[in-house]
Amino acid sequence: MSDLNSVTLMGQVSSSIQVFSNETRKVMKFSVQTVEIWYKDEVQREKVENHSIVIYNNKVIDNIEARLTENSCVYIEGKMKYEKTENDKKSFIVVDIIDGDLKIITVDKKDHVNKISLIGRVGADPEFSNTNDNKRIAKFSFATSEKWKDRITGELKEKTDWHKIVCYNSKIVQNIENYVKKGKFLHMW
C-alpha cells in the first residue's frame, strides 16, 4: 500500500532559519506563514496560520541553505507529523521533508501566495453592485468539469462543479462588464 501522508504548503518564511548538524545529517527548522483572504458581507477577512517546518534531507538543505531567508516565499511538498512540545500540551504541525521537495518561489510583494486557477464556462450573466464605499463588484457562477470513461461500463461520465466568483478589483470588474457573458469560456488565475 502506498503512503497517503502528503502535504503541500505555499507561504512565506516567518522565522529565523536554524540548521543543526549531528554525525550523520543536518536538520533545518523554520516557520512558514500562510494567509487566507476572503470577503464576507463585502468586508475583507483574513486568517493567518504559522506552520513549523523540519527538514531532514541533507540534499534539500544543501540546495537551499544559502538562498533561504526570513520572508522568502516557499513551495513545500512533504509529510505531515504531529509532535508535542514540553512547554505546551497542544500539538503543532511539522512538515517532515525526507523524500519531499522545497522550492523557493518569487512573487511580487503585493501578491498573495494563496492562488487558484480555474478553467471553465460562465454559468449566468454577471451581476454587478456597489459596496458601501461605492466600489464596483462583480458576481457570477462558474462551471468547471471533468470527463472520464467508466472502467467497468465503458460509459462516458462527466462531473461539473459550480463556483461562486466575486471580484473586487476595479480593472477586472470593468473587463467583466465589457466581455463576460453566460457561456463564455474563461481561464482565471
Side-chain angles (χ1 to χ4, degrees):
M1 180 177 204
S2 63
D3 187 4
L4 297 178
N5 183 357
S6 177
V7 64
T8 301
L9 189 65
M10 283 180 61
Q12 188 171 19
V13 176
S14 59
S15 70
S16 59
I17 294 102
Q18 302 171 350
V19 179
F20 308 93
S21 293
N22 63 23
E23 295 169 9
T24 58
R25 66 178 176 187
K26 291 181 179 179
V27 176
M28 180 181 275
K29 293 183 178 184
F30 57 94
S31 294
V32 170
Q33 185 177 82
T34 57
V35 179
E36 181 180 1
I37 295 175
W38 71 96
Y39 290 86
K40 182 176 181 179
D41 301 324
E42 299 179 1
V43 175
Q44 181 175 316
R45 313 279 183 179
E46 172 176 302
K47 179 181 180 183
V48 177
E49 293 182 315
N50 283 294
H51 309 274
S52 296
I53 310 300
V54 180
I55 304 174
Y56 295 107
N57 184 317
N58 285 349
K59 188 176 177 182
V60 172
I61 294 170
D62 290 342
N63 185 34
I64 65 168
E65 188 173 8
R67 298 180 298 126
L68 189 66
T69 62
E70 193 169 341
N71 298 322
S72 292
C73 291
V74 292
Y75 173 90
I76 299 170
E77 294 176 351
K79 298 180 181 208
M80 189 173 293
K81 180 174 141 184
Y82 292 90
E83 294 181 358
K84 289 189 178 183
T85 63
E86 292 177 13
N87 303 342
D88 192 344
K89 294 184 180 178
K90 294 180 182 177
S91 295
F92 63 95
I93 298 172
V94 176
V95 179
D96 182 0
I97 304 177
I98 297 171
D99 299 319
D101 195 14
L102 185 145
K103 295 178 180 76
I104 300 171
I105 57 176
T106 305
V107 294
D108 192 325
K109 292 225 183 239
K110 68 179 190 264
D111 286 343
H112 299 291
V113 179
N114 190 0
K115 300 280 186 185
I116 189 168
S117 175
L118 296 171
I119 299 173
R121 294 200 179 271
V122 177
D125 286 338
E127 298 174 7
F128 301 93
S129 60
N130 293 319
T131 62
N132 292 339
D133 57 350
N134 214 25
K135 290 184 181 178
R136 193 97 168 121
I137 63 172
K139 298 178 185 179
F140 59 93
S141 60
F142 191 74
T144 57
S145 61
E146 63 177 316
K147 294 179 182 179
W148 70 95
K149 190 174 185 179
D150 187 289
R151 291 182 187 176
I152 298 169
T153 66
E155 180 183 358
L156 187 62
K157 302 267 188 172
E158 182 175 3
K159 178 184 175 202
T160 301
D161 291 309
W162 288 92
H163 311 274
K164 182 178 180 181
I165 307 299
V166 181
C167 181
Y168 292 86
N169 181 304
S170 60
K171 290 179 184 177
I172 296 174
V173 170
Q174 185 176 7
N175 283 335
I176 292 170
E177 284 183 302
N178 293 334
Y179 303 109
V180 176
K181 302 289 180 225
K182 179 181 178 179
K184 179 83 171 178
F185 184 78
L186 296 177
H187 178 193
M188 298 185 292
W189 67 94

